[in-house]
Structure formats: C-alpha cells, structure tokens
Amino acid sequence: MNNDNCLLNILRFDAQNVNKRVSLSALEGSEVTITGATGLVGVNLVAALIFYNYKLAKTPIRINAVSFSKPDGFMAKLFNDSNVSSLFGDITDQNFVNAIPMSEYIIHSAGYAQPGKFMDDRIKTISINTTATIELLKRLRPDGSFVFLSSSEVYSGSSSLNNNERDIGSTDPSHPRACYIEGKRTGETIINAARASGVKAASARLALAYGPGTKPNDLRVMNQIIAKGLNNEISLLDGGEAIRTYGYVTDVVTMLFNILIKNESSVYNIGGKSVVTIRDLAVKVGELMEVAVRIPETDSYMPHAPNSVGLDLTRVEGEYGNILYTDIDVGLINTIKWIRALQSES
C-alpha cells in the first residue's frame, strides 16, 4: 500500500466513526461548503461527508471544498470525487467568495490555527475571520445554517481552567496575538448580528484539536513532539509546565456537525477533556514511541502563549447528548501513525 492510500484509510476510519456518532441525513441533497478544507478540521469534515455519500446516502450531499492552495498528494485524491468541487483561492478576495456556489450549509473553518502562521500576516488573519465571514454569509441560502469556527483564544487573559460561553478574556488589541484573538471575537460579533437578523448562525470556540489530517511540517506542539520522536529523541525547549486540553479531531467534527444541523445556541465551546501539561504530553509520546525525552529545568514557556487552556463543555454536551471522548492514548497512537506515514510520503 502506498503512503497516500495509507493516509486516506486513516481518514476513512475516523470518518466512519463520525458517521456512527451523528446522523448527516439532514444534509442529504443539499449543498455544503467547507472553507479551510485542507486544514486539520476541514479535511476531516470533508472526509466524513464523502463517507456518508458512499455508505449511507440516498441522495448525495454536494460538497464545496474551499482551500487557499490547490490540494495535492493524499488531499487531491480525497477531493477527486464526483460529489466534491475543489475550489481554491483567497477567501479574503471578494470576487473569489462570490464565485462559491450558494449553499444550504456552510462551515467557515478557514484560518491559521498555528501561531507562527497567523502572526506572519496579521492583516490577513483579521480579514479571514471578519470580512470573509461577512461575505460567506451572503453565500448562505435562506433558512440555511452557518457555523463559524472561533477559538478558545477569545478567553486569553482569563485565569480560569474551565471557561464557559459567558466568559471572555482580558487581553487588549495591543496583545502580540491580537490579530487572531480580536479577529475571532469580531467574527463572533458578526455571527451574533446575523443571528439577530434571523440567520441560523453559530460560533464554535475550539481548543486544540489534534489527530490525523495535518500537513507535513505542521508547527503545532504535539506534532512537533511526535516528529522529534520519529528522529529518536524528544527534547523540549522549556520545562513544559503549560497546561493544554486536547480534543481528538473525530470528537470535534462530531460536535461541529451537530451544531450545524441543530444550531440551537449562538456560541459553543468545543474540544476535548484530555488535560495535560506539555511535559506530561512529551513523556506520554516518548513512552508510546519508545524514545528518550529530554526536558530542561526551567519554568518558562512560549512567550505570549496562554499558560493554560481549558473549556467548560456543559452546553454542547447538554444540547447534543453524550459525547464519546477519545482517550488521549488512542488519539496519540492514531496521530503518531499519521505523522509517520506523512513523513514517509514527503
């Protein structure tokens, strides 16, 4: 089996699990647009829709997979499907957005989830979450449903380890990551304005999705730790005391589809319940990969990054029922398998 097929099989396995957890029958025969379709969340959303079409649908779902760059490698093969239209271009270009077909359902998941990327072009980071959101809302058919992928970074500055949807952070527009933080907050404001005018729209505040679906050289901490493990030694840059709450991508995608279909509240926290320090994460990955872990004796952590990220998931659990959270060991094993196959491909 070549690496592309191996990667696709991993995505299909998770797509099957999504379809076991949530019924996508409400989307049958409709047009569904996913922006950020080649990102971690986006590609898993598309994979779940494709799986539904092949295994369960009576009338196929038409999928618009929107990405900045033309998909290649395993993504090109995934999108090479009769029910998928691969649309690539700049989501901040109004002419490009105007060419996206009108849709009954839109999930706007485009954006830079990695700090190194969203701080490289701060104006574009703001535009993706604001002007692009406004223009995409115009591509929604009457009585359609829209979900904006926000971020737990709206809680930046909060000292709580269990932020709920009524909370908000305390950072201001001069914060080094403000392009992302304020962009997400403004995106949510746009969604609230649309909802007030009768549009079925909601925001989903995501904290740290992980799992299969990332691209080579992904800069997220977990992926970097695993990549180092594949080179036979994991070394941290600091003491790893920062606390993170990880959510496996299958769990996250299930939540997003529930919100898209039912859309009962204006904002939801989504993510997982695997709370771990970066130090403990590195140790866990080292044990699973059977490689040495080196951790410097320092309490410092990445400048300007939150020291802790935690969400209260009571609302999404209460409205959409019990969520089968993926155990972090299972999620890590799948992620390690993915990154190993991805590195073999490149």
Side-chain angles (χ1 to χ4, degrees):
M1 181 186 300
N2 64 38
N3 285 326
D4 277 352
N5 288 338
C6 177
L7 293 167
L8 289 173
N9 283 339
I10 295 171
L11 286 176
R12 287 175 186 135
F13 179 80
D14 279 351
Q16 181 178 20
N17 284 333
V18 170
N19 278 275
K20 288 178 179 177
R21 299 180 183 188
V22 59
S23 172
L24 301 181
S25 59
L27 309 180
E28 284 213 12
S30 64
E31 195 115 6
V32 179
T33 293
I34 309 293
T35 70
T38 58
L40 170 61
V41 172
V43 75
N44 279 277
L45 288 166
V46 173
L49 292 169
I50 291 172
F51 184 92
Y52 181 83
N53 277 342
Y54 272 98
K55 298 294 184 179
L56 300 166
K58 295 178 181 178
T59 306
I61 301 164
R62 299 182 302 280
I63 307 159
N64 300 313
V66 180
S67 59
F68 180 72
S69 302
K70 183 177 181 179
D72 57 10
F74 74 90
M75 289 189 187
K77 291 185 177 180
L78 177 69
F79 293 175
N80 185 23
D81 180 280
S82 60
N83 295 305
V84 176
S85 296
S86 181
L87 310 171
F88 48 93
D90 188 346
I91 201 74
T92 64
D93 180 346
Q94 185 173 340
N95 291 328
F96 172 68
V97 176
N98 288 343
I100 296 173
M102 297 292 291
S103 303
E104 286 83 6
Y105 297 92
I106 297 175
I107 300 181
H108 181 22
S109 68
Y112 305 119
Q114 304 170 56
K117 290 188 175 181
F118 69 61
M119 293 176 71
D120 280 346
D121 192 338
R122 302 184 185 200
I123 296 297
K124 178 154 286 189
T125 295
I126 295 168
S127 297
I128 288 170
N129 292 299
T130 56
T131 54
T133 303
I134 293 170
E135 295 305 317
L136 282 165
L137 280 163
K138 297 175 184 176
R139 310 310 298 161
L140 187 69
R141 291 189 183 279
D143 300 321
S145 180
F146 190 105
V147 175
F148 169 67
L149 193 62
S150 187
S151 168
S152 62
E153 294 244 4
V154 300
Y155 299 120
S156 292
S158 168
S159 59
S160 174
L161 285 176
N162 199 37
N163 293 283
N164 66 47
E165 290 85 353
R166 294 181 299 277
D167 296 330
I168 200 64
S170 60
T171 57
D172 63 42
S174 67
H175 191 281
R177 296 158 76 106
C179 60
Y180 189 73
I181 299 167
E182 303 301 331
K184 291 298 187 185
R185 288 175 179 163
T186 306
E188 288 192 21
T189 304
I190 293 165
I191 293 300
N192 289 335
R195 194 175 179 93
S197 67
V199 178
K200 285 181 64 179
S203 300
R205 295 173 178 169
L206 173 61
L208 298 176
Y210 76 99
T214 54
K215 299 175 186 176
N217 304 314
D218 189 274
L219 299 176
R220 277 171 270 230
V221 171
M222 180 185 290
N223 289 37
Q224 291 298 299
I225 289 173
I226 294 171
K228 289 179 179 180
L230 292 174
N231 290 322
N232 298 315
E233 182 179 276
I234 296 170
S235 58
L236 296 185
L237 299 177
D238 58 38
E241 298 303 321
I243 300 168
R244 296 292 180 264
T245 305
Y246 285 99
Y248 190 65
V249 68
T250 297
D251 308 347
V252 168
V253 166
T254 299
M255 294 179 197
L256 283 172
F257 277 129
N258 271 322
I259 295 166
L260 181 71
I261 293 166
K262 298 177 183 177
N263 215 312
E264 295 179 4
S265 297
S266 62
V267 60
Y268 297 87
N269 286 336
I270 63 171
K273 292 194 172 181
S274 298
V275 181
V276 62
T277 65
I278 301 301
R279 172 194 289 267
D280 290 342
L281 175 66
V283 170
K284 187 178 287 287
V285 171
E287 291 172 350
L288 291 171
M289 301 184 74
E290 299 183 340
V291 298
V293 179
R294 295 184 180 275
I295 301 172
E297 293 299 323
T298 173
D299 293 332
S300 65
Y301 56 95
M302 184 185 295
H304 313 306
N307 189 35
S308 61
V309 177
L311 298 180
D312 179 351
L313 301 176
T314 302
R315 177 175 292 177
V316 73
E317 291 173 342
E319 291 189 15
Y320 303 120
N322 293 331
I323 296 167
L324 301 174
Y325 293 102
T326 302
D327 181 82
I328 193 167
D329 284 0
V330 174
L332 284 173
I333 289 169
N334 292 345
T335 308
I336 291 166
K337 181 179 179 182
W338 174 267
I339 295 175
R340 181 176 279 119
L342 200 61
Q343 286 201 358
S344 298
E345 180 188 51
S346 57

